[in-house]
Amino acid sequence: MAQEVTRTSGVSQSQGLYTGNAAPARGAQNWDGTSLPGMLPSQTLFTDQSINLHAEVCFLYWFHTQVLGVLPPDEKYKITWYVSWSPCNECAEKVASFLDTHRNLSLAIFSSRLYYFWDPDYQDKLRRLNQAGAQIAAMDFPEFEKCWNKFVDNDGKSFRPWKRLKINFRFQDNKLRDILRNPVSLLREDIFSLQFNNRHRVKPVQHRYYQRKTYLCYLLEQHNGQQPLKGCLQNKKGKHAEILFIDEMRSLELGQVQITCYLTWSPCPNCAQELAAFKSDHPDLVLRIYTSRLYFHWRRKYQEGLCCLWRSGIQVDVMDLPQFADCWTNFVNSQSPFWPWNNLEKNSRCIQRRLQRIKESRGLQDLVNGLGNLQLGPPLS
């Protein structure tokens, strides 16, 4: 990397420079990063200017194919990144998901600048990345010097800091600390209050009709004492949130786990069948679904979809005050209590009666009662 690029990356230029360093953790097999065929050196430079992929995604692809695809799967790695910009929200989510599914990796990210640090979505994704185990810090003089020595064609020259490096570092460091100090929030409060609201209609926002979409929040609890895995999904690129949830779960090694899903709308018939098939493939899994509202509950096809879920062993029920409060604590704000909106419990009882009529009309009440008596895992409320 040229000296001019490094100096530019330390100020306010908008470019996609990325440097990374990957090495086995202490106690792992010796590896110098060059002894495997077709492999890049362990100290590698990635940029996002030559191809239509961000540098972080380029690294994940390279690491997955050239490292994890060659070395033993139980090898442990310690990875250090030096980035000119902190990851965007999409890249942060991809990196976090990668860390969720590769527990043998530890990642330290040193960032020269914070990308859209004032945007709540970008803040949430940085916290999500931190929750997944990534260590995130602002670059100070020692990190710039290490980056200079490891990655820059410097002709043997020492690193000379530019003006205001220390002042800029303090600004970036304070902002990052403020972001990471806040509780991890996967869902904004205003979105939760509008999307999970169980009223028949919600008040218009700025005199405009507000479309209530499908959001799915999931909490995966394991019996081995590990931290629960959380996620929040919504319909994206022609895929319903339930299908995105199934895709994420199939990428994990699931054993005897308990998953609780909170949905703004009950599943459509196609998603219900896919969820039932997923449960059939994982008989030891306990899956509970709580929905805020019933989607087209008067249509026979949608009623059959709910029946398909019950028959597969998935417990489906309507969110009431305890479930709304639990969803708020786990996905919105764990530091402040949930304040219910007007008629929340009244609306829940009304929706529960509708669901009860569907059960009775399909002759499934005995089956549902039997599922409830199985005591599959601890109660959630």
Side-chain angles (χ1 to χ4, degrees), residues 89-123:
N89 55 352
E90 292 185 3
C91 287
E93 178 60 39
K94 290 177 181 178
V95 174
S97 298
F98 193 80
L99 293 175
D100 287 338
T101 55
H102 297 83
R103 297 293 185 178
N104 57 328
L105 309 181
S106 65
L107 175 62
I109 301 175
F110 293 100
S111 172
S112 174
R113 299 180 301 277
L114 297 176
Y115 193 55
Y116 283 97
F117 61 84
W118 58 86
D119 189 305
D121 290 335
Y122 285 76
Q123 294 177 5

Side-chain angles (χ1 to χ4, degrees), residues 51-108:
I51 55 177
N52 192 26
L53 288 175
H54 285 192
E56 296 90 338
V57 178
C58 292
F59 177 90
L60 295 182
Y61 178 78
W62 166 77
F63 193 80
H64 186 269
T65 57
Q66 300 294 331
V67 180
L68 297 180
V70 178
L71 291 180
D74 57 347
E75 188 75 83
K76 295 183 178 181
Y77 297 94
K78 181 179 180 181
I79 303 170
T80 303
W81 285 3
Y82 300 97
V83 295
S84 56
W85 286 107
S86 60
C88 70
N89 55 352
E90 292 185 3
C91 287
E93 178 60 39
K94 290 177 181 178
V95 174
S97 298
F98 193 80
L99 293 175
D100 287 338
T101 55
H102 297 83
R103 297 293 185 178
N104 57 328
L105 309 181
S106 65
L107 175 62

Side-chain angles (χ1 to χ4, degrees), residues 189-367:
E189 294 185 16
D190 59 329
I191 292 179
F192 177 85
S193 298
L194 286 168
Q195 297 290 357
F196 275 89
N197 199 304
N198 63 356
R199 294 172 182 161
H200 182 59
R201 290 186 179 90
V202 293
K203 295 180 179 179
V205 179
Q206 296 179 349
H207 306 288
R208 294 181 179 179
Y209 172 72
Y210 192 89
Q211 183 181 3
R212 291 197 283 185
K213 305 175 183 178
T214 299
Y215 280 79
L216 185 154
C217 297
Y218 67 85
L219 178 67
L220 188 154
E221 300 173 275
Q222 305 181 65
H223 297 301
N224 55 11
Q226 291 186 359
Q227 280 288 104
L229 179 62
K230 302 177 184 179
C232 183
L233 304 166
Q234 67 178 109
N235 294 359
K236 185 178 181 182
K237 295 180 180 179
K239 277 191 174 183
H240 286 189
E242 296 91 334
I243 304 302
L244 295 173
F245 163 75
I246 293 172
D247 290 344
E248 284 200 11
M249 293 302 102
R250 289 194 185 279
S251 69
L252 304 175
E253 294 182 3
L254 298 176
Q256 292 185 342
V257 299
Q258 176 176 312
I259 305 175
T260 304
C261 293
Y262 297 108
L263 279 159
T264 53
W265 289 108
S266 58
C268 71
N270 291 336
C271 289
Q273 291 179 4
E274 292 293 333
L275 286 166
F278 168 72
K279 177 64 175 72
S280 177
D281 293 339
H282 300 82
D284 294 333
L285 178 146
V286 178
L287 178 57
R288 293 186 173 100
I289 294 177
Y290 291 96
T291 181
S292 174
R293 302 178 300 274
L294 297 178
Y295 192 55
F296 287 107
H297 60 88
W298 60 89
R299 293 188 177 180
R300 183 181 182 87
K301 191 174 182 180
Y302 287 77
Q303 294 178 5
E304 291 174 351
L306 292 173
C307 295
C308 177
L309 293 173
W310 285 315
R311 291 192 184 97
S312 70
I314 298 174
Q315 302 179 49
V316 184
D317 211 336
V318 175
M319 292 179 72
D320 205 345
L321 181 58
Q323 287 76 42
F324 283 111
D326 187 66
C327 186
W328 172 275
T329 300
N330 280 295
F331 302 97
V332 183
N333 191 337
S334 62
Q335 302 300 310
S336 65
F338 170 66
W339 294 101
W341 46 83
N342 291 336
N343 296 322
L344 181 151
E345 292 179 285
K346 179 181 177 181
N347 296 335
S348 289
R349 288 193 296 271
C350 180
I351 300 171
Q352 285 170 353
R353 287 195 294 270
R354 293 174 191 156
L355 189 63
Q356 182 70 20
R357 287 196 291 269
I358 295 174
K359 295 176 185 177
E360 293 174 351
S361 66
R362 300 288 172 175
L364 289 171
Q365 188 57 53
D366 292 340
L367 173 62

